[in-house]
């Protein structure tokens, strides 16, 4: 599942839980799925940050973008 799909699913779960009309067991299942998705999403963000830091340290990503004419 890509990051956008993961976030869409997580938002749907949150909306379902906020309705407050789920039976307890279904609410627990939805919560568990949401926690798992949140952890996967955070792991992907952490990995993206690590990759960006690595690229920046290697100098392959400019730290400052100069405007034309400077």
């Amino acid at each position: 599942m890509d990051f956008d799909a993961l976030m869409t699913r997580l938002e749907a779960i949150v909306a379902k839980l906020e309705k407050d009309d789920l039976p307890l067991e279904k609410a627990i299942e939805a919560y568990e799925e949401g926690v798992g998705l949140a952890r996967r999403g955070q792991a992907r963000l952490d990995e993206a940050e690590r990759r960006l830091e690595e690229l920046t340290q290697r100098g392959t990503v400019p730290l400052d973008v100069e405007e034309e004419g400077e």
Side-chain angles (χ1 to χ4, degrees):
M1 180 182 300
D2 69 9
F3 186 78
D4 291 332
L6 190 146
M7 290 304 298
T8 299
R9 178 67 184 142
L10 185 55
E11 289 168 357
I13 290 170
V14 169
K16 186 189 298 188
L17 289 169
E18 287 177 341
K19 284 184 183 177
D20 201 29
D21 62 350
L22 287 176
L24 180 59
E25 283 302 315
K26 293 289 183 186
I28 292 171
E29 288 172 13
Y31 181 81
E32 287 175 339
E33 182 182 357
V35 168
L37 290 169
R39 287 181 179 154
R40 286 170 55 192
Q42 186 61 54
R44 287 185 182 187
L45 289 173
D46 292 344
E47 174 62 19
E49 182 178 11
R50 185 197 63 74
R51 288 174 57 198
L52 289 172
E53 287 175 2
E54 184 179 296
L55 290 170
T56 301
Q57 288 175 356
R58 281 196 259 154
T60 55
V61 174
L63 296 177
D64 297 313
V65 177
E66 293 184 26
E67 294 182 26
E68 282 188 41
E70 285 189 28

